[in-house]
Amino acid sequence: MRRAFTMIEMLLAVLMVGVLTTLSFLTFSAVTEGWQRSTDYIDKLERTDFALEQIISALRSAYYPHNGAQEDAYGFILENRGEGENERNSDRITWSKKGSAIVGSASSIADSVHRVQVMVLEEGNNDYRDTIEVTGLYARLCSDSALRPNDDNDETDYSFENPELYEPVLIADGIVGFNCRVMATKSDETSRKGEKDDKLFEDDYTASNSLPYKVELTFKMKTEKTDASVMRIVTIPIHEQSLDGSDTPAGRQTEVKKGGVRR
């Protein structure tokens, strides 16, 4: 004779189904959350990497005139504001360049000399003409001709200290910190050979009328659950030219030795 399920057996079956359903939901939720975090992290990493490549390309296309003199107007300026742990402590760098990096190939100043300033700005920052809407890495751009107006009676401040003229342009969001260090000359690398890399770079750069030998860039990004840093080291090709302003490194390499004397 076949027996029916008892009330206890029915309750146990329902309980087991409920437990399995809850476990399945929690597992699915954890996997989905992990996938979303990974996607967000990869997306922010790609944006940060894109920003880094833009800055690297812009630094490698740094410009310095061939006039035999050193000029502050074309030099590299580092404003050291800390280690870049947050937006307000992030560094700010300024230099002159040519080319489409940062500005884009369609820009009217891409093929001419222009001044660039790069910094991190936080959402709500109102130091500039318009309030910043999203935290990220920004650049301000100024043409070389604007820095040197023809009118001697023009008293307008055309430097980056005048925020009304140069609105920050977003390079990449999600970047919440920026730290820059420099190796001033190639001799610094030679004299400190064997030391740790972090000993080769300095947080301060006082020679604002020239370009450093190498620049170390560290960008800090922040996702919902993760903080991370991305770092690159860039060699400035025309560093030697900026020291005397008269010749290119390529020009020096073609010098001919005769009788032990360089001519």
Side-chain angles (χ1 to χ4, degrees):
M1 183 175 179
R2 187 176 180 181
R3 296 174 55 195
F5 289 109
T6 65
M7 181 62 69
I8 294 177
E9 290 174 331
M10 290 292 292
L11 290 174
L12 287 174
V14 171
L15 179 62
M16 290 180 64
V17 171
V19 169
L20 291 174
T21 301
T22 301
L23 290 175
S24 298
F25 174 79
L26 292 176
T27 301
F28 176 78
S29 178
V31 170
T32 301
E33 184 179 352
W35 178 80
Q36 290 176 339
R37 285 202 304 266
S38 298
T39 302
D40 183 38
Y41 176 79
I42 293 174
D43 180 59
K44 293 289 177 60
L45 185 61
E46 289 178 346
R47 295 184 188 183
T48 302
D49 192 59
F50 167 78
L52 262 175
E53 290 303 320
Q54 287 291 304
I55 304 302
I56 289 172
S57 179
L59 285 168
R60 286 176 175 165
S61 60
Y63 172 85
Y64 207 88
H66 298 256
N67 58 7
Q70 290 183 293
E71 297 185 38
D72 291 342
Y74 295 100
F76 179 91
I77 297 175
L78 166 60
E79 298 177 52
N80 180 28
R81 300 186 171 192
E83 297 299 320
E85 295 296 337
N86 58 58
E87 302 89 342
R88 296 190 182 279
N89 292 335
S90 293
D91 293 343
R92 180 177 296 175
I93 57 175
T94 307
W95 73 102
S96 296
K97 62 174 284 289
K98 292 182 71 174
S100 61
I102 298 180
V103 302
S105 57
S107 173
S108 59
I109 64 174
D111 296 326
S112 61
V113 179
H114 49 276
R115 196 82 170 146
V116 180
Q117 185 178 82
V118 172
M119 63 282 181
V120 169
L121 298 175
E122 63 181 330
E123 180 182 355
N125 184 307
N126 56 5
D127 294 341
Y128 303 94
R129 180 173 55 190
D130 297 321
T131 302
I132 299 300
E133 296 182 356
V134 58
T135 299
L137 188 73
Y138 287 80
R140 292 198 290 170
L141 310 168
C142 170
S143 66
D144 185 57
S145 58
L147 289 173
R148 293 169 174 74
N150 296 323
D151 187 359
D152 294 334
N153 296 320
D154 188 354
E155 298 181 355
T156 304
D157 180 6
Y158 288 98
S159 72
F160 286 129
E161 298 303 317
N162 186 352
E164 293 296 320
L165 293 179
Y166 311 109
E167 182 177 0
V169 177
L170 179 65
I171 300 177
D173 61 3
I175 297 176
V176 298
F178 171 46
N179 188 50
C180 177
R181 302 195 303 163
V182 301
M183 186 189 300
T185 66
K186 190 174 183 178
S187 62
D188 290 341
E189 184 176 52
T190 304
S191 63
R192 300 179 186 179
K193 190 175 182 180
E195 295 189 24
K196 292 182 179 180
D197 290 344
D198 61 343
K199 297 293 185 181
L200 300 177
F201 292 87
E202 303 288 345
D203 287 309
D204 297 307
Y205 183 71
T206 57
S208 59
N209 61 350
S210 64
L211 301 172
Y213 173 53
K214 287 185 178 181
V215 177
E216 178 193 83
L217 307 170
T218 302
F219 288 171
K220 298 180 182 296
M221 62 180 191
K222 185 178 183 65
T223 63
E224 184 177 347
K225 300 289 185 178
T226 308
D227 295 343
S229 298
V230 181
M231 189 265 284
R232 297 285 191 280
I233 295 176
V234 188
T235 300
I236 308 297
I238 59 173
H239 156 69
E240 292 184 18
Q241 176 190 325
S242 73
L243 297 182
D244 61 22
S246 60
D247 197 6
T248 63
R252 292 192 185 90
Q253 293 170 5
T254 60
E255 292 180 340
V256 179
K257 289 185 178 181
K258 185 175 182 180
V261 179
R262 298 179 71 185
R263 302 182 59 184

